[in-house]
């Protein structure tokens, strides 16, 4: 088995063989200007360490294991066979007689949540096979540096699972009048994804990456290469290599991608080789050069282009190290950017979280969401995100828009640029995206475990549990949801990616307008769980429409009074109850604070009544030969264009039936597949199939996610009731207004208090109470010990809970104030004034067609029963609970969402013109106001 791999060897890109840095360099070397070198594999480390394994295991259990293990490795002779193989590798890489960098490349560097930068050693200016071999051994020893050992222990990683690959690479000679530095393909400091940020200095780049010396900063537009800003520092000195550098110039050398200076603590980071004759020295720069930009405008553009090329190569924004020498630009290292300056907006969050969210709901959801986020990114081959994606601000949820721009829509553009490129990339597409075919199958298999867990937790008796045990039950429900939800963000993101990929492939053969029409026809009929539920609602409405007495009763009794009326109509009531038993877990709002369908059946019944009235009106209009909305009646919406044709004018056209949409979809798919080159037909057909599959799956996973709400509301109702009985809360639902940390601390403290109180009562002895306290502290969990410490010496069993009263009251008042206001779109930034003189409003096209009519603003499900037939629906966003309104509506306007939002998808299914992402729509428009909705172009025009 070979100990080494050339950078160009396909196996060198594997993390398990080459470690994090090695794999990244090998990937970079495929298409980017990376200096030559080779990798000593992690398997070589395993081979070297095998004879020492038993002794290392013994040393791990000693008082100072890290230093002892490192000394053991350094004292172990290098096998003669290794020197021979290193000779060959050096010669093949063209490194004979050259100064090289020997750099640690651990296999755990890319672990999610881990940061091993600077934990291991790099050796600069190494020359000759023997010196390289010794440096490799020293890199092995650095795997056991004290701080690296402690860090693995902190992460809970098995020490013996850690392995070390080593990179051996040519050093680029950078002279004192040449430049090196770092560049970011997006600006992570300002959160600007349109600009490249460059830091540069004269001489070796270590002065830049170390962050200890003045550097120049350049900002360059990604699209044009135009330099938009620069800050030129006074740079008094430059770091150069002497006495043995490579190539021309003054012998200066550069650590080609080594660990950044200052990242170690003396046992990690960069070191000069003592035996190779290569040294670095600091040279003074002349007065003119000190204030001169390290890069010319042309060079800055060249570096920016390299950063963007690295991003395109890796498919993600990159942080690169670079060096200029003799007019050539080299890439020394490339790593993903996983932390950026956040810009908190409602762009990403308004559709998912249109209304304020209670603190406890958000705390229970947030951790699971971010866990799912990084699991999904890993599944999709994207780097982990090291910051928050969503945060709560003043009870509204805001998204990190910079992060969204960084991660969203990451198409494999390098593989889809042309028909020829796609054909050449088929093997890579199969390797890289095979999981897309497997995930739906795996998700369905795992669904059973989740549903069984829901059933168990839903039926677990709560009455005999203590307060702490009920709280543990709440946490168990949350943990079940977290585990179930792990791949669900990948499902949602993949749906969007598949849509974009399909549209991109169509655009290779058609113009944009034609491609969009064909795309819509390909996706015209996708069966979803929501469409199934909607069909069942329609069936129930038809039962009501067919029973004049039942319809009259519901028309006369809205809301809860209507539900009471069902006692007189037992046959329909049985069907209605059966519907709620099957789908009653569906939410009215994301927040578990709000009831579900089964807990608010009057909301569902009112929608059925509206649908029934619509059915009767349609039948009567058909008999009379008129439209159900009364034709030109000013109170109803009048359709001007056909969504199917996409026309903005012309006679009204009825939307296609389900069967007609299926026929159009099938015929379009056949035509598209037959038109594709023969080698690409399977890929095209598979992308079409998967786009439909993920559309249905995204809807189904949401439907199943909401099953968690009922057991969660049941448990929190019990918990809140206990706190009401204890005099802590006024209403059981007030528990939602206490954040997780305060609630958890108080309940744990109360449990510890009760344990101490029970022991005190039994022993009637202060000494015994102290012993009981010490027992709790010695044997309890960390949280219990902390709580016990916090309440030691208090009296009574409820004192630990009293602080919750004020927290709940304050948060509830603030939450209710949030309900009554419109949130800032970008947090901390005043909204731009609405142009009152402009009647032309631009949003995002959601569903084609044009319609004129009166709007009706719906703020919550409480407004459902008042929705006029044929009105244009205006809302912050919609969810499946709103679907029945679409059967009543003439058009749709929402404040958030896009082509994949619930509102847009449902509108397209029903042939309703829709415009999404019209900011402040619910406050700008007033019910009864007439507008024209142009769903094809994403415009709304105020008519009065």
């Amino acid at each position: 088995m070979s100990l080494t791999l050339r950078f160009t060897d396909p196996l060198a890109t594997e993390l398990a063989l080459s470690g994090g840095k090695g794999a990244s360099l090998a990937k970079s070397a495929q298409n980017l200007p990376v200096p030559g070198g080779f990798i000593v594999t992690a398997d070589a480390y395993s081979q070297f360490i095998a004879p020492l394994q038993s002794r290392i295991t013994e040393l791990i259990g000693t008082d100072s294991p890290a230093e002892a293990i490192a000394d053991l490795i350094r004292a172990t002779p290098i096998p003669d066979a290794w020197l021979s193989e290193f000779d060959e590798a050096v010669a093949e890489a063209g490194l004979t007689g050259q100064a090289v960098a020997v750099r640690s490349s651990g296999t755990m560097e890319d672990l999610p949540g881990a940061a091993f930068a600077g934990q291991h050693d790099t050796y600069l200016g190494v020359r000759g096979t023997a010196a390289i071999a010794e440096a490799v051994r020293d890199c092995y020893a650095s795997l056991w540096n004290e701080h690296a050992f402690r860090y693995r222990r902190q992460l809970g990683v098995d020490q013996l699972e850690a392995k070390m690959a080593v990179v051996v690479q040519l050093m680029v000679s950078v002279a004192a009048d040449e430049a090196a530095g770092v560049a970011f393909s997006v600006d992570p400091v300002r959160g600007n994804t349109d600009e490249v940020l460059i830091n540069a200095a004269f001489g070796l780049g270590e002065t830049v990456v170390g962050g200890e010396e003045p550097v120049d900063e350049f900002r360059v537009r990604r699209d044009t290469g135009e330099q938009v800003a620069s800050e030129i520092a006074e740079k008094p000195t430059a770091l150069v290599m002497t006495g043995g550098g490579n190539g021309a110039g003054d012998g200066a050398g550069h650590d080609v991608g080594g660990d950044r200076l200052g990242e170690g603590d003396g046992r990690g980071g960069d070191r000069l080789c003592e035996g190779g004759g290569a040294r670095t020295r600091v040279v003074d720069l002349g007065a003119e050069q000190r204030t001169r930009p390290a890069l010319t405008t042309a060079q800055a553009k060249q570096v920016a282009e390299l950063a963007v090329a690295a991003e395109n190569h890796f498919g993600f924004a990159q942080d690169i190290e670079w060096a200029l020498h003799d007019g050539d630009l080299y890439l020394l290292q490339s790593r993903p950017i996983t932390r950026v300056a956040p810009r908190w907006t409602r762009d990403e969050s308004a559709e998912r979280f249109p209304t304020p969210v209670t603190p406890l709901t958000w705390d229970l959801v947030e951790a699971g969401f971010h866990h799912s986020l990084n699991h999904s990114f890993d599944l999709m081959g994207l780097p982990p995100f090291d910051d928050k994606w969503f945060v709560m601000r003043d009870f509204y949820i805001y998204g990190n828009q910079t992060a969204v721009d960084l991660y969203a829509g990451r198409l494999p553009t390098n593989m889809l640029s042309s028909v020829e490129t796609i054909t050449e990339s088929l093997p890579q597409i199969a390797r890289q995206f095979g999981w897309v075919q497997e995930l739906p199958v795996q998700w369905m298999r795992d669904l059973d475990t989740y549903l069984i867990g829901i059933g168990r937790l839903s039926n677990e008796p709560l009455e005999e549990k203590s307060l702490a045990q009920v709280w543990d039950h709440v946490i168990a429900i949350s943990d079940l949801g977290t585990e179930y939800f792990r791949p669900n963000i990948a499902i949602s993101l993949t749906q969007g990616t598949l849509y974009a990929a399909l549209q991109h492939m169509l655009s290779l053969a058609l113009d944009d307008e034609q491609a969009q029409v064909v795309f819509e026809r390909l996706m015209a009929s996708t069966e979803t769980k929501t469409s199934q539920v909607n069909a069942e609602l329609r069936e129930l409405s038809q039962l009501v429409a067919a029973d004049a007495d039942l319809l009259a009763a519901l028309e006369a009794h809205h809301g809860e009074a209507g539900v009471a009326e069902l006692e007189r109509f037992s046959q329909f009531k049985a069907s209605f109850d059966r519907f709620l038993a099957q789908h009653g877990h569906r939410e009215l709002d994301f927040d578990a604070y709000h009831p579900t369908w089964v807990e608010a059946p009057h909301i569902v019944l009112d929608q059925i009544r509206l649908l029934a009235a619509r059915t009767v009106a349609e039948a009567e209009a058909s008999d009379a030969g008129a439209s159900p909305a009364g034709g030109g009646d000013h109170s109803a919406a009048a359709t001007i264009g056909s969504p199917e044709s996409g026309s903005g004018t012309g006679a009204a056209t009825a939307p296609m039936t389900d069967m007609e949409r299926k026929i159009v979809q099938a015929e379009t798919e056949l035509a598209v597949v037959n038109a594709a080159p023969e080698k690409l037909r399977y890929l095209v057909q598979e992308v079409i199939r998967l786009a439909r599959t993920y559309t249905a799956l995204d809807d189904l996973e949401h439907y199943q996610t909401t099953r968690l709400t009922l057991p969660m509301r049941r448990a929190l109702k019990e918990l809140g009731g206990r706190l009401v009985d204890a005099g802590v809360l006024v209403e059981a639902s007030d528990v939602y207004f206490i954040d997780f940390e305060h609630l958890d601390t108080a309940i744990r403290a109360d449990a510890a208090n009760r344990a101490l109180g029970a022991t005190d009562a039994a022993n009637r002895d202060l000494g015994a109470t102290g012993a009981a306290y010490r027992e709790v502290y010695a044997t309890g969990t960390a949280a219990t010990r902390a709580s016990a410490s916090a309440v030691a010496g208090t009296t009574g069993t409820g004192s630990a809970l009293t602080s919750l009263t004020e927290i709940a009251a304050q948060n509830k008042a603030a939450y209710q104030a949030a309900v009554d206001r419109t949130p800032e779109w970008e947090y901390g930034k005043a909204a731009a004034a609405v142009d009152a003189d402009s009647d032309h409003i631009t949003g995002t096209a959601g569903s084609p067609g044009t319609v004129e009519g009166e709007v009706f603003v719906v703020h919550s499900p409480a407004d459902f029963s008042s929705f006029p037939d044929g009105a244009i629906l205006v809302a912050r966003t919609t969810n499946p609970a709103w679907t029945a309104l679409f059967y009543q509506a003439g058009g749709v306007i929402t404040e958030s969402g896009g082509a994949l939002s619930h509102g847009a998808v449902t509108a397209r299914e029903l042939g309703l013109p829709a415009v999404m992402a019209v900011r402040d729509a619910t406050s700008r428009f007033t019910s009864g106001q007439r507008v024209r909705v142009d769903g094809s172009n994403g415009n709304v025009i105020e008519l009065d």
Side-chain angles (χ1 to χ4, degrees):
M1 178 178 62
S2 177
L3 303 173
T4 63
L5 293 172
R6 290 284 300 274
F7 285 169
T8 53
D9 192 312
L11 293 176
T13 62
E14 295 184 12
L15 177 66
L17 283 175
S18 300
K21 293 182 182 68
S24 176
L25 278 171
K27 291 174 185 175
S28 300
Q30 293 172 351
N31 292 299
L32 299 169
V34 174
F38 62 91
I39 295 165
V40 184
T41 68
D43 287 345
Y45 169 82
S46 298
Q47 181 180 329
F48 183 86
I49 220 76
L52 312 177
Q53 195 83 1
S54 59
R55 180 56 181 155
I56 289 175
T57 302
E58 294 173 3
L59 290 173
I60 286 176
T62 61
D63 292 338
S64 301
E67 183 177 357
I69 295 171
D71 289 343
L72 173 66
I73 291 172
R74 289 192 184 95
T76 302
I78 300 167
D80 292 339
W82 283 42
L83 297 176
S84 175
E85 184 161 346
F86 285 179
D87 268 334
E88 293 179 11
V90 166
E92 287 178 4
L95 303 179
T96 303
Q98 302 291 327
V100 300
V102 180
R103 303 166 47 235
S104 302
S105 181
T107 58
M108 292 187 173
E109 288 179 4
D110 287 352
L111 283 178
F116 280 95
Q119 301 282 354
H120 310 124
D121 292 347
T122 287
Y123 296 86
L124 307 181
V126 181
R127 191 186 299 275
T129 301
I132 289 173
E134 291 176 1
V136 168
R137 183 178 58 190
D138 286 342
C139 287
Y140 290 169
S142 76
L143 183 64
W144 298 92
N145 284 346
E146 178 64 34
H147 46 272
F149 183 89
R150 287 199 308 268
Y151 189 54
R152 288 195 295 271
R153 177 178 287 171
Q154 178 185 332
L155 292 176
V157 173
D158 185 346
Q159 299 285 353
L160 296 176
E161 289 296 316
K163 295 182 180 181
M164 179 66 75
V166 179
V167 173
V168 178
Q169 190 175 28
L170 177 70
M171 297 186 69
V172 176
S173 298
V174 180
D177 60 349
E178 296 176 322
V182 300
F184 304 86
S185 64
V186 300
D187 185 345
V189 178
R190 299 167 185 83
N192 191 336
T193 57
D194 296 325
E195 294 176 1
V196 176
L197 177 65
I198 303 169
N199 288 163
F202 292 114
L204 296 177
E206 278 76 11
T207 58
V208 179
V209 299
E212 297 176 356
E213 300 293 335
V215 299
D216 294 342
E217 178 177 285
F218 304 89
R219 289 159 54 195
V220 179
R221 284 197 60 86
R222 286 168 54 96
D223 52 355
T224 64
E226 176 190 0
Q227 186 171 303
V228 296
S230 65
E231 293 183 18
I232 308 305
E234 182 174 352
K235 304 170 288 297
T237 61
L239 182 69
V240 298
M241 290 195 68
T242 60
N246 300 321
D250 65 355
H254 188 283
D255 166 23
V256 288
D259 291 34
R260 297 183 173 184
L261 285 178
E263 287 183 343
D265 62 358
R267 293 302 300 258
D270 295 332
R271 300 181 184 184
L272 289 176
C273 176
E274 297 298 328
R279 299 289 188 272
T280 60
R281 62 186 178 94
V282 175
V283 298
D284 293 328
L285 300 179
E288 182 277 332
Q289 186 179 357
R290 291 183 178 195
T291 56
R292 192 175 76 214
L295 293 174
T296 65
T297 300
Q299 288 172 332
K301 180 180 180 181
Q302 188 181 4
V303 172
E305 289 172 346
L306 178 62
V308 174
E311 175 180 320
N312 291 336
H313 177 69
F314 283 98
F316 198 80
Q318 295 289 299
D319 161 11
I320 70 168
E321 295 177 25
W322 55 270
L324 278 165
H325 174 59
D326 282 350
D328 292 323
L329 178 62
Y330 296 93
L331 177 71
L332 310 176
Q333 185 164 323
S334 188
R335 59 176 69 83
I337 297 172
T338 59
R339 188 180 290 271
V340 290
R343 183 168 65 89
W344 300 112
T345 78
R346 299 273 292 156
D347 291 8
E348 178 74 0
S349 61
E351 183 186 354
R352 292 181 175 90
F353 316 108
T355 56
V357 178
T358 55
L360 184 56
T361 291
W362 181 245
D363 286 347
L364 290 171
V365 166
E366 184 188 20
F369 175 87
H370 284 99
H371 177 67
S372 170
L373 190 72
N374 278 328
H375 174 81
S376 297
F377 285 162
D378 180 61
L379 193 64
M380 300 172 73
L382 296 173
F385 183 59
D386 297 331
D387 209 339
K388 295 287 188 183
W389 194 271
F390 287 123
V391 295
M392 179 187 283
R393 295 285 186 266
D394 299 332
F395 299 94
Y396 281 95
I397 307 304
Y398 286 82
N400 185 339
Q401 192 57 39
T402 316
V404 173
D405 293 342
L406 201 62
Y407 279 82
R410 284 286 168 184
L411 269 177
T413 52
N414 58 326
M415 291 185 279
L416 300 180
S417 58
S418 67
V419 171
E420 293 74 21
T421 304
I422 296 174
T423 304
E424 293 172 2
S425 302
L426 285 176
Q428 184 181 350
I429 292 172
R431 288 193 306 270
Q432 190 171 336
F433 299 101
W435 64 269
V436 176
Q437 296 171 303
E438 298 168 2
L439 180 58
V441 177
Q442 185 62 50
W443 186 90
M444 291 301 297
R445 289 173 182 165
D446 294 342
L447 180 62
D448 288 344
T449 302
Y450 169 68
L451 295 178
I452 291 170
I454 289 286
R456 174 177 54 80
L457 292 169
S458 297
N459 292 284
E460 189 170 327
L462 303 178
E463 295 78 10
E464 301 303 319
K465 292 182 181 292
S466 67
L467 181 69
Q469 289 170 333
V470 174
W471 177 235
D472 286 338
H473 183 75
V474 170
I475 293 173
I477 296 170
S478 179
D479 289 346
L480 176 66
T482 295
E483 183 61 26
Y484 158 75
F485 197 71
R486 282 205 313 158
N488 289 9
I489 293 177
I491 291 171
S492 180
L493 292 175
T494 303
Q495 180 195 5
T497 300
L498 285 165
Y499 274 40
L502 180 55
Q503 289 172 315
H504 181 79
M505 292 167 71
L506 292 172
S507 70
L508 295 177
L510 306 167
D511 63 41
D512 289 346
E513 185 175 349
Q514 290 175 317
Q516 183 60 33
V517 170
V518 172
F519 173 79
E520 289 174 0
R521 289 175 176 171
L522 288 171
M523 304 301 296
S525 180
T526 302
E527 297 292 337
T528 65
K529 191 67 177 181
T530 295
S531 63
Q532 174 195 328
V533 174
N534 292 343
E536 292 180 33
L537 276 171
R538 291 286 291 177
E539 289 172 5
L540 288 172
S541 72
Q542 289 165 1
L543 293 177
V544 173
D547 188 331
D549 291 340
L550 174 55
L551 179 57
L554 296 181
E555 291 281 14
H557 301 85
H558 295 182
E560 295 179 0
V563 176
E565 283 294 301
L566 295 188
E567 296 297 332
R568 299 194 296 114
F569 301 91
S570 58
Q571 188 172 352
F572 175 80
K573 184 178 184 301
S575 297
F576 183 61
D577 289 345
R578 188 162 50 250
F579 175 84
L580 291 178
Q582 293 173 339
H583 310 299
H585 61 280
R586 297 234 71 165
E587 80 286 10
L588 297 176
D589 189 279
F590 160 80
D591 197 339
Y593 176 65
H594 299 283
T596 65
W597 285 7
V598 75
E599 296 167 303
H602 60 284
I603 299 292
V604 182
L605 188 61
D606 280 341
Q607 292 189 70
I608 292 171
R609 171 179 55 78
L610 290 172
L611 289 172
R614 176 78 171 186
T615 300
V616 172
E618 287 173 348
E620 293 175 349
S622 177
D623 291 343
S627 68
D633 192 325
H634 71 279
S635 65
T639 300
I640 299 175
S642 165
E644 277 65 42
S645 67
S647 170
T649 59
T653 304
M656 290 188 292
T657 65
D658 288 343
M659 182 56 67
E660 287 171 336
R661 283 199 297 269
K662 289 178 180 178
I663 292 172
V664 167
Q665 178 175 284
E667 291 176 343
T668 304
E669 179 178 350
L670 182 63
V672 168
V673 173
N674 286 340
E678 187 173 354
K679 289 185 178 180
L680 296 184
R681 286 178 183 174
Y682 171 76
L683 175 65
V684 170
Q685 190 160 31
E686 190 66 355
V687 171
I688 294 170
R689 181 189 72 82
L690 288 169
R692 294 172 187 156
T693 297
Y694 274 81
T695 298
L697 186 60
D698 187 54
D699 181 75
L700 180 60
E701 69 84 3
H702 177 79
Y703 175 87
Q704 299 294 5
T705 297
T706 58
R707 288 192 185 277
L708 210 65
T709 306
L710 283 177
M712 181 62 78
R713 282 180 54 81
R714 169 177 172 261
L716 288 176
K717 182 178 180 181
E718 179 70 24
L719 188 75
R722 303 286 185 93
L723 295 176
V724 170
D725 293 342
V728 175
L729 299 180
V730 177
E731 299 176 353
S733 60
D734 289 347
V735 71
Y736 287 92
F737 298 103
I738 308 170
D739 61 275
F740 182 94
E741 183 177 356
H742 281 106
L743 190 58
D744 185 71
T745 298
I747 290 175
R748 304 298 181 199
D750 178 69
N753 261 354
R754 290 178 182 276
L756 294 173
T759 303
D760 187 35
N763 293 281
R764 303 296 181 188
D765 179 71
L766 289 176
T769 301
Y773 169 76
R774 289 190 293 273
E775 175 66 18
V776 170
Y777 194 87
T779 61
T781 64
T784 304
R785 291 196 298 272
S787 301
S789 297
V791 301
T794 61
T795 58
T797 59
S799 60
L801 302 173
T802 55
S803 63
L804 301 180
T805 303
E806 184 177 357
I807 293 172
Q810 288 180 347
N811 283 340
K812 186 174 184 179
Y815 170 88
Q816 291 171 336
V819 171
D820 296 331
R821 67 174 174 81
T822 299
E824 301 168 317
W825 195 263
E826 183 170 347
Y827 189 75
K829 185 177 180 180
V834 175
D835 186 358
D837 297 329
S838 174
D839 57 8
H840 193 94
I841 305 161
T842 301
T844 299
S847 178
T850 305
V851 67
E852 290 182 6
E854 294 183 354
V855 305
F856 186 83
V857 181
V858 178
H859 295 284
S860 74
D863 300 324
F864 286 3
S865 62
S866 304
F867 191 83
D869 186 34
I872 294 173
L873 170 64
V874 176
R876 282 184 176 172
T877 189
T878 65
N879 64 36
W882 295 55
T883 302
L885 293 185
F886 284 70
Y887 289 94
Q888 299 292 107
V892 179
I893 302 170
T894 63
E895 290 186 347
S896 62
L900 292 181
S901 65
H902 169 268
V905 172
T906 305
R908 288 197 297 272
E909 287 179 354
L910 298 180
L912 299 177
V915 177
M916 334 308 294
V918 177
R919 291 191 188 174
D920 302 323
T922 56
S923 55
R924 174 160 189 160
F925 300 115
T926 57
S927 294
Q929 179 181 358
R930 287 187 61 81
V931 302
R932 175 182 296 137
V933 177
D934 181 355
S936 301
N937 296 304
N939 299 323
V940 179
I941 298 176
E942 295 175 303
L943 301 179
D944 58 28

